[in-house]
Amino acid sequence: MVNLIYPGDSISIPERTNVVTGPGIYLDPKSQHLKPINVGIEVIDPSKRVTSVYLDFNSKRYIPSEGDFVIGVITSTFADSYRVSLANFSTAVTLSYMAFPNASKKNRPTLKVGDLLYARVSKANKELEAEIECVDSSTGKDAGYGHLDGGVVVDVSLAFCRELLFNNDFPLLKLIGKRTEFEVAIGLNGKIWIKAADILSTLACYRIILDCEKQPTSQYSEIIKNRFKELANSAD
Amino acid sequence: MALALKQQSECLYPGYMICPEFDVVEENGKECIIKYIPSLGVAKRPFSVDGKQINVLIATLVGNLSVKLQEDLESQDAEEKDESSENSVTADQSDDESKVHKVYIVSVKDEKHIGKSVRDDFTNNLPKEGDIVLARVTRISLQRANVEILAVENQRTPIDSGVGSNGSGEVAAGGGSGAATFSVSQVSSDLGETFKGIIRSQDVRATNRDKVKIMDSFKPGDIVRARILSLGDGSNYNLTTARNDLGVVFAKASNGAGGLMYAIDWETMVAPSTGNMELRKCAKPFE
């Protein structure tokens, strides 16, 4: 059974457990009580050592948090870093020249202003500008991050992105895959980059993602069929 | 000291003529030339009397006269003359400067603040190089902390308030016994009228300067005791906390959402109500 809770509700956590709080849960520094600060579905996960508590809620405003995969646009270059915009009207984040595979003082990355890239949030302090990286910092190797060439970006809600990225049973990508080949990058900042074999298929994918965000999963195959049919007709 | 000065104990007002620049008194049967140097609240102005121009000192503030003997007279003399006069016996040289035997510093101070630890004469006591100031952290980044200056500490007080001081001792944050006085800025912080300052990450502490993390040194809202390094670029002072008695003196937990925290060592503050600890570059927490 899902439990929808509102800001200010009390959260029922078994006592004497080590709790890790996630999104939507606030530890009041004075009273030391946990309080929900968003409207969402309460998730209490008493796994091995600690109980994780968070709210599953939807929004469109992205707040960087460490470890997130994001899609950003380079807005300016500095002496030793890029500034990258993850969402319009939000504070830009920093991408150091050293946060690339095989980076060195002499070997500078070749990205330009306006380039789209896929990266991982490496530091996210609420008092500081967040930092992202295009390298797996544990191995120092390329881990699929970097420049996204061509394709198209769809702006969707954050919850939809989380579903697409983490839920293996979410049918959308499998269903699109039956119709066309495509590459996809999913940013948890509400951006999905998609690139199919040709422009018409890419455009179809763009429309499918936009439409499917607001529809139940049962409708997906119908939407996909219609979108591809429309584009095939318009191409003639 | 000239007799004329001794009598002026009443309140002076701007434009009041205090004394001429030079004066001659009879001392032990010898002629002694006195020079008066204008300081705070006093200006040197030309004044003509009987068609003759002389320089006089006039008051530019409302307050009481304060005349202090310049201590390091010899170094002062040497500076003014440029060319060296090895033997300090300069009385038989002919020009006026060389005959100066005593130098007094003349200033006009508002004495209504005497005995108070907080003063509102910030405009007469603007932050200058070497001053200790209290500042609030407004913004932090990886390289620097931006602050706004709230108050200037008026004089450095020795750790024992000067009692039994043996030289240049350490200065406790806040002057040890609370003997330090402050000139508090009266302008609005909301309108951005305060003086701004920058503490670069290299200026946070004296050791291991390149490894400083601003995040572990300051948080927005902290009150920091810092020293002015330089006047900076016009929009920002450059400040430093690279001394034991400088650093965060007042901070609240969770960026102000929690309770007041106290320094328990050089880099840790604790909130007694919750026991939570946070990292800071603390000013020397004990004497």
Side-chain angles (χ1 to χ4, degrees):
Chain A
M1 194 199 94
V2 294
N3 188 13
L4 179 73
I5 56 175
Y6 293 88
D9 284 358
S10 59
I11 311 174
S12 49
I13 302 163
E15 284 194 22
R16 294 172 203 280
T17 46
N18 291 325
V19 171
V20 173
T21 60
I25 306 289
Y26 177 68
L27 175 69
D28 184 63
K30 285 222 167 94
S31 67
Q32 297 287 299
H33 290 315
L34 292 177
K35 288 176 183 169
I37 51 168
N38 286 91
V39 182
I41 292 157
E42 179 186 50
V43 182
I44 299 179
D45 179 17
S47 55
K48 286 153 278 171
R49 277 176 33 248
V50 290
T51 306
S52 49
V53 182
Y54 63 92
L55 294 186
D56 196 1
F57 64 97
N58 196 5
S59 76
K60 293 196 91 174
R61 160 76 56 194
Y62 176 69
I63 294 158
S65 128
E66 203 172 314
D68 282 359
F69 304 121
V70 289
I71 291 172
V73 182
I74 296 180
T75 55
S76 59
T77 58
F78 286 113
D80 55 356
S81 62
Y82 295 113
R83 297 209 81 199
V84 178
S85 165
L86 297 185
N88 291 337
F89 309 106
S90 290
T91 320
V93 298
T94 334
L95 172 59
S96 166
Y97 290 164
M98 303 309 273
F100 285 87
N102 307 320
S104 66
K105 282 264 160 77
K106 284 181 187 153
N107 186 5
R108 284 165 55 125
T110 55
L111 297 171
K112 301 184 301 295
V113 171
D115 279 357
L116 200 66
L117 52 86
Y118 195 52
R120 177 184 172 275
V121 178
S122 57
K123 274 183 203 154
N125 266 315
K126 64 176 183 295
E127 294 93 356
L128 282 180
E129 216 168 68
E131 281 184 68
I132 59 174
E133 61 185 11
C134 279
V135 64
D136 187 335
S137 48
S138 57
T139 61
K141 291 216 179 87
D142 189 355
Y145 308 121
H147 187 200
L148 298 174
D149 202 11
V152 64
V153 170
V154 199
D155 281 305
V156 290
S157 71
L158 304 187
F160 190 63
C161 282
R162 286 199 294 271
E163 282 291 293
L164 276 178
L165 186 60
F166 297 122
N167 186 355
N168 289 329
D169 301 330
F170 201 68
L172 181 61
L173 296 179
K174 286 186 194 106
L175 290 174
I176 298 176
K178 285 182 182 160
R179 300 298 299 253
T180 179
E181 279 185 3
F182 65 98
E183 283 179 83
V184 69
I186 299 160
L188 292 176
N189 55 336
K191 289 187 190 298
I192 296 167
W193 173 86
I194 194 156
K195 182 187 182 184
D198 55 273
I199 290 185
L200 277 183
S201 314
T202 309
L203 193 54
C205 294
Y206 176 84
R207 291 183 177 178
I208 288 162
I209 291 172
L210 271 187
D211 289 349
C212 287
E213 187 194 351
K214 300 282 190 312
Q215 302 294 333
T217 48
S218 54
Q219 303 274 308
Y220 284 3
S221 46
E222 186 69 19
I223 293 169
I224 291 169
K225 203 174 83 185
N226 288 340
R227 289 293 169 229
F228 273 101
K229 202 196 278 174
E230 276 168 33
L231 281 158
N233 291 340
S234 65
D236 295 336
Chain B
M1 196 189 295
L3 282 173
L5 283 175
K6 279 188 182 167
Q7 292 155 1
Q8 293 171 346
S9 57
E10 79 274 25
C11 188
L12 302 189
Y13 45 87
Y16 188 95
M17 203 182 299
I18 301 168
C19 61
E21 191 183 7
F22 292 99
D23 204 356
V24 182
V25 290
E26 205 60 34
E27 217 172 62
N28 304 333
K30 275 163 78 179
E31 217 174 44
C32 178
I33 296 178
I34 295 176
K35 185 185 184 188
Y36 297 104
I37 294 181
S39 178
L40 176 74
V42 179
K44 189 162 77 178
R45 291 278 183 276
F47 178 73
S48 65
V49 53
D50 297 338
K52 208 174 131 192
Q53 285 256 326
I54 60 163
N55 284 328
V56 294
L57 303 192
I58 63 162
T60 59
L61 290 178
V62 177
N64 298 79
L65 188 68
S66 143
V67 179
K68 262 201 332 214
L69 183 67
Q70 170 105 1
E71 303 281 347
D72 48 349
L73 183 54
E74 285 179 26
S75 64
Q76 168 86 15
D77 269 356
E79 268 172 39
E80 281 181 10
K81 270 177 288 173
D82 287 337
E83 67 262 43
S84 58
S85 59
E86 303 81 26
N87 40 0
S88 54
V89 187
T90 55
D92 46 9
Q93 287 180 15
S94 57
D95 59 305
D96 274 354
E97 288 290 317
S98 64
K99 282 187 186 164
V100 171
H101 282 206
K102 279 183 178 165
V103 174
Y104 285 97
I105 296 173
V106 185
S107 56
V108 173
K109 283 176 186 157
D110 199 347
E111 283 177 3
K112 74 176 180 216
H113 298 298
I114 285 178
K116 288 186 187 167
S117 65
V118 172
R119 295 161 42 165
D120 55 12
D121 60 341
F122 189 80
T123 45
N124 293 329
N125 195 12
L126 295 175
K128 58 184 183 297
E129 211 170 299
D131 276 0
I132 305 288
V133 297
L134 294 181
R136 183 197 291 123
V137 179
T138 53
R139 198 186 117 116
I140 60 174
S141 72
L142 285 177
Q143 299 87 20
R144 69 183 72 85
N146 290 63
V147 301
E148 56 184 8
I149 294 174
L150 306 175
V152 180
E153 217 162 284
N154 285 323
Q155 68 258 340
R156 274 171 256 174
T157 315
I159 195 161
D160 55 355
S161 306
V163 182
S165 175
N166 54 352
S168 54
E170 278 291 330
V171 187
S177 59
T181 65
F182 293 93
S183 292
V184 178
S185 173
Q186 302 294 306
V187 298
S188 161
S189 161
D190 293 344
L191 300 175
E193 291 172 336
T194 49
F195 290 118
K196 307 278 188 300
I198 285 177
I199 306 173
R200 298 183 305 154
S201 66
Q202 303 96 297
D203 297 328
V204 168
R205 62 181 183 220
T207 55
N208 225 348
R209 287 162 177 271
D210 299 335
K211 298 265 158 54
V212 175
K213 282 186 184 150
I214 288 283
M215 269 300 293
D216 298 343
S217 308
F218 306 118
K219 288 282 171 70
D222 288 357
I223 304 295
V224 174
R225 188 170 183 261
R227 196 170 71 91
I228 308 253
L229 272 184
S230 72
L231 299 187
D233 56 5
S235 53
N236 286 302
Y237 282 92
N238 283 330
L239 309 182
T240 177
T241 57
R243 227 166 62 183
N244 287 348
D245 57 310
L246 301 178
V248 176
V249 288
F250 181 95
K252 285 181 153 186
S254 313
N255 291 331
L260 191 57
M261 295 195 295
Y262 298 93
I264 52 169
D265 65 31
W266 301 108
E267 50 183 17
T268 316
M269 292 187 110
V270 65
S273 54
T274 61
N276 286 347
M277 301 217 267
E278 292 187 18
L279 293 178
R280 291 292 197 284
K281 197 286 178 190
C282 305
K284 191 183 184 185
F286 31 74
E287 285 178 32

